[in-house]
Amino acid sequence: MKKVLSGNEAFARAAYEAGVGVVSSYPGTPSTEITECASKYKEFYTEWATNEKVAMEVAIGASLGGKRAMTCMKHVGLNVASDPIMTLSYTGVNAGLVAIVADDPNMYSSQNEQDSRHYARFGKMPMLEPCDSAEAKRFTKEGFAISEEFCTPVLVRSCTRVSHTQTVVELEDRVEAPKFAPENDIQKWVMIPANARRKHKIVENRQEQITELAESDKYNPYVIRDKSIGVVCAGVAYNYVREALPEASTLKLDMVWPLPMKKILAFSKLVDKLYVVEELDPFFETEIKAAGIKVEKLERSLCGELSADAVCALFEGREYEPETDTSLPFRPPNMCPGCSHRGMFYAINRLKLFVTGDIGCYTLGLLPPLKAINTTVCMGASIGMAHGLDKAADGMSQKSVAVIGDSTFLHTGINSLVNTVYNRGHSTVVILDNTITGMTGHQPNAGSGCDIHGEPVPKIDYVNLCKSIGVNPDNIRIVDPFDITKCMEVLKEETSKKAPSVIITNKPCIFADRSVIEESYFIHEDKCSGCTICTRLGCPAILWDAEKRVAHIDETLCTGCHLCIKVCKFGAIEQRSK
Ligand code: SF4
Ligand code: SF4
């Protein structure tokens, strides 16, 4: 049966068809939906892990235990998981293990634009790169076979355009995976230096064998059309090349590492001019040139994503300006109306605190009018950075706070809080606990009280957790983020202390618990002084009528969160039902 699937749905389907036993992941756009879709299959176990390193380790344990295992993450997640996967390359696997990593060229929702192909070379692991959903399914299934044949983890690289584009996929039945008994092989699985030295040689030998596979007819097909131009490309860039240059000969690299250099050389001899079209880093180009094969120069930016138009522009030697659809209204990113983070950010802004921020919806607290974030580096960095500031600049801990979400705190923030306590820091940490992983689309986490299937599970008690790692109970405060006065009072008290403090907010994301939505508010035009204080909350439901010079509430957006009535000194805002 044929079905139209997104790339992410196809990756999940591959897990089903390949007889996978365990999928463990941490959400991250553009990879999140793979695990969400996988969780709908009852034939295998799925979970949200606390971070990508943990997810990778769960997958390794599952492979060791004899079940095919998959883990999915975005490119920056692979940084977090890089520690175990680098050594997994040495141990090898038992049952097949595939890690899907989704890059985000143009950074639609990411803090950097790294190119994950480097990890394949760095870790000496094969990497496959599909160009559409059909290949996403096929390559993932083949990834398990390669993993088992060569005793290696296999990386499958996606990108936003493959993960979120829908194409036709032929559905197949689930086939039970080959049987693997749990392994107890110390020489294989314990990477003390003596074993690791031996394994390094095996890894190098494995690379050569996989290179032979890459050279075989099964992978990396080339098609000779017009011989004047030959293009080496992979993944989504292949689609762009086929559309932009339908007559050009192409060598499509299904396996983007290791590279089939003999095949590339043979292809280069069949065409007059050899080009490489790839997004982000000149990964293929550097390798191909290093092998002594001439590559024609294309003046290409190393930033952002390609398109068929961009490929046309490259070959015509003209500047490429992506077309923007001006029919769409400009909509700056903003926290949702009723977001539980807004009040705390407003309080932080009023106190003019320096904020080491983190990754999540609350990163949007950076934007005007809240302007309450000063740094964002990576998941979990806020607390460590606040501690560094504290140690480097006298008095900074009294003027700064680290702000982090619940999911990010569990991801990698907690380690930094342990470090702060252990090293006698003075930072104040604000955990914005909205009980869900908001930014990636509201996935549950260990603080939500339910698992990936919505089944009840134990819920993290942040107060007891912080106490247990040594934060003085007097310095752990719970506040209602919609109570701005209280937030300011608590922030002042805790930042003044010469000890680690933790402030925990206690209101859910508006999408985690819709029962918090109340009757909307409206503004009495005749009472409104036009002071603009309510508009400085940055709530998308509060609009400014420039002609009348009064504020106005869009009641279709208002969730009745009460925040605006707390700032209006003129009693101009009232709830509809009252
Ligand atoms: S999804 Fe939830 S946490 Fe994120 S901005 Fe919207 S209300 Fe806030
Ligand atoms: S805070 Fe009150 S008085 Fe000021 S603009 Fe808003 S509604 Fe009008």
Side-chain angles (χ1 to χ4, degrees):
M1 184 179 70
K2 285 193 164 69
K3 211 171 167 189
V4 176
L5 296 182
S6 71
N8 282 350
E9 288 169 323
F11 285 123
R13 178 75 193 183
Y16 167 78
E17 292 179 8
V20 160
V22 172
V23 177
S24 179
S25 310
Y26 184 80
T29 311
S31 70
T32 310
E33 300 84 4
I34 306 172
T35 308
E36 281 181 333
C37 296
S39 74
K40 304 211 166 74
Y41 294 103
K42 301 289 168 251
E43 290 78 1
F44 54 95
Y45 174 80
T46 42
E47 67 173 24
W48 289 125
T50 46
N51 67 33
E52 297 83 357
K53 177 177 182 291
V54 174
M56 183 68 73
E57 289 157 353
V58 171
I60 295 171
S63 162
L64 174 70
K67 290 272 169 69
R68 282 187 169 180
M70 190 163 101
T71 177
C72 317
M73 59 201 68
K74 66 183 293 178
H75 59 301
V76 286
L78 187 53
N79 300 336
V80 182
S82 63
D83 198 11
I85 203 173
M86 286 294 164
T87 302
L88 177 65
S89 175
Y90 274 39
T91 62
V93 302
N94 181 28
L97 189 154
V98 170
I100 297 173
V101 54
D103 284 3
D104 186 17
N106 208 34
M107 293 174 281
Y108 290 103
S109 57
S110 307
Q111 64 269 41
N112 70 39
E113 204 174 28
Q114 74 194 42
D115 187 329
S116 295
R117 291 177 295 177
H118 295 290
Y119 272 106
R121 177 170 51 193
F122 187 23
K124 301 172 195 287
M125 297 168 278
M127 178 181 258
L128 302 166
E129 184 170 348
C131 73
D132 60 17
S133 303
E135 285 193 352
K137 183 166 84 69
R138 181 160 68 86
F139 288 9
T140 304
K141 288 171 74 175
E142 284 174 14
F144 286 104
I146 293 171
S147 177
E148 283 156 9
E149 184 180 349
F150 295 93
C151 192
T152 177
V154 172
L155 294 164
V156 177
R157 182 188 188 223
S158 184
C159 66
T160 309
R161 299 293 172 190
V162 170
S163 279
H164 290 165
T165 303
Q166 296 186 322
T167 59
V168 176
V169 178
E170 177 80 45
L171 301 188
E172 292 159 282
D173 292 335
R174 179 171 164 93
V175 175
E176 282 316 309
K179 291 252 179 294
F180 291 86
E183 277 192 337
N184 184 4
D185 180 344
I186 290 170
Q187 290 206 334
K188 177 175 175 182
W189 285 99
V190 181
M191 282 303 97
I192 54 171
N195 290 342
R197 274 183 217 115
R198 192 177 55 79
K199 289 308 282 280
H200 188 179
K201 289 183 190 141
I202 293 172
V203 167
E204 297 301 341
N205 185 34
R206 183 182 76 198
Q207 277 283 98
E208 285 171 23
Q209 291 171 23
I210 299 173
T211 304
E212 278 173 34
L213 177 72
E215 296 281 6
S216 71
D217 287 342
K218 184 169 183 195
Y219 286 100
N220 308 316
Y222 61 70
V223 179
I224 301 299
R225 299 180 189 94
D226 178 352
K227 289 191 175 177
S228 61
I229 291 179
V231 185
V232 177
C233 47
V236 75
Y238 169 77
N239 300 339
Y240 301 146
V241 168
R242 289 294 294 124
E243 192 176 333
L245 308 166
E247 300 307 320
S249 301
T250 50
L251 168 49
K252 176 178 180 295
L253 295 170
D254 296 345
M255 186 177 280
V256 295
W257 190 260
L259 289 175
M261 215 47 89
K262 284 187 205 148
K263 194 175 263 185
I264 294 169
L265 178 64
F267 178 67
S268 74
K269 287 183 176 163
L270 293 172
V271 294
D272 299 340
K273 289 185 172 179
L274 185 77
Y275 292 88
V276 174
V277 172
E278 56 191 327
E279 279 179 334
L280 301 179
D281 294 339
F283 183 84
F284 299 145
E285 190 176 334
T286 306
E287 291 290 332
I288 294 169
K289 281 182 179 165
I293 301 169
K294 185 164 185 268
V295 175
E296 301 296 326
K297 195 165 177 54
L298 287 173
E299 290 298 341
R300 178 177 75 84
S301 168
L302 304 188
C303 311
E305 60 181 352
L306 289 173
S307 64
D309 285 349
V311 172
C312 282
L314 272 181
F315 278 84
E316 288 164 12
R318 62 178 162 84
E319 287 277 308
Y320 172 67
E321 278 297 327
E323 272 181 36
T324 43
D325 185 351
T326 47
S327 64
L328 292 172
F330 177 66
R331 195 168 64 103
N334 197 350
M335 289 182 283
C336 309
C339 177
S340 59
H341 302 326
R342 186 169 281 108
M344 178 54 84
F345 277 127
Y346 186 80
I348 287 171
N349 174 298
R350 289 279 305 277
L351 295 176
K352 306 231 172 314
L353 292 168
F354 186 92
V355 176
T356 53
D358 225 296
I359 310 277
C361 291
Y362 49 91
T363 313
L364 299 170
L366 150 86
L367 299 167
L370 293 168
K371 290 200 282 185
I373 297 255
N374 298 86
T375 70
T376 303
V377 174
C378 68
M379 294 282 282
S382 59
I383 302 177
M385 287 179 69
H387 179 62
L389 260 183
D390 171 30
K391 293 292 176 189
D394 263 358
M396 250 336 251
S397 67
Q398 274 91 57
K399 296 184 212 142
S400 63
V401 284
V403 173
I404 189 164
D406 50 333
S407 188
T408 314
F409 178 69
L410 296 169
H411 179 273
T412 32
I414 186 168
N415 315 56
S416 303
L417 184 58
V418 171
N419 179 64
T420 301
V421 175
Y422 172 61
N423 289 302
R424 300 185 200 88
H426 305 138
S427 319
T428 300
V429 175
V430 181
I431 302 175
L432 298 170
D433 177 17
N434 63 3
T435 76
I436 209 148
T437 311
M439 197 178 212
T440 48
H442 319 110
Q443 290 75 32
N445 60 51
S448 304
C450 62
D451 68 7
I452 194 169
H453 303 291
E455 298 295 328
V457 291
K459 188 173 168 158
I460 289 284
D461 180 333
Y462 293 101
V463 173
N464 278 327
L465 181 67
C466 294
K467 274 190 214 165
S468 74
I469 61 176
V471 182
N472 184 331
D474 294 340
N475 302 344
I476 303 172
R477 311 283 296 273
I478 295 181
V479 290
D480 175 351
F482 293 114
D483 187 342
I484 293 169
T485 311
K486 190 73 185 170
C487 286
M488 287 174 66
E489 184 189 308
V490 171
L491 281 164
K492 274 190 208 155
E493 283 171 15
E494 295 309 323
T495 51
S496 69
K497 291 177 182 170
K498 286 229 146 205
S501 305
V502 179
I503 302 170
I504 303 163
T505 63
N506 66 353
K507 287 287 181 288
C509 164
I510 203 82
F511 294 100
D513 180 0
R514 305 293 281 176
S515 72
V516 297
I517 296 176
E518 290 191 15
E519 278 298 316
S520 60
Y521 283 77
F522 69 99
I523 292 175
H524 283 285
E525 278 187 17
D526 48 345
K527 290 191 193 167
C528 177
S529 70
C531 70
T532 71
I533 286 182
C534 60
T535 62
R536 283 177 237 165
L537 289 167
C539 175
I542 304 179
L543 309 169
W544 179 247
D545 187 330
E547 211 171 288
K548 295 181 184 163
R549 301 208 58 75
V550 291
H552 167 72
I553 289 177
D554 179 344
E555 292 184 53
T556 59
L557 291 178
C558 178
T559 64
C561 76
H562 312 281
L563 203 56
C564 53
I565 54 162
K566 309 248 172 70
V567 297
C568 178
K569 306 260 185 327
F570 299 89
I573 308 179
E574 258 186 63
Q575 200 161 16
R576 206 26 102 182
S577 56
K578 300 204 170 149

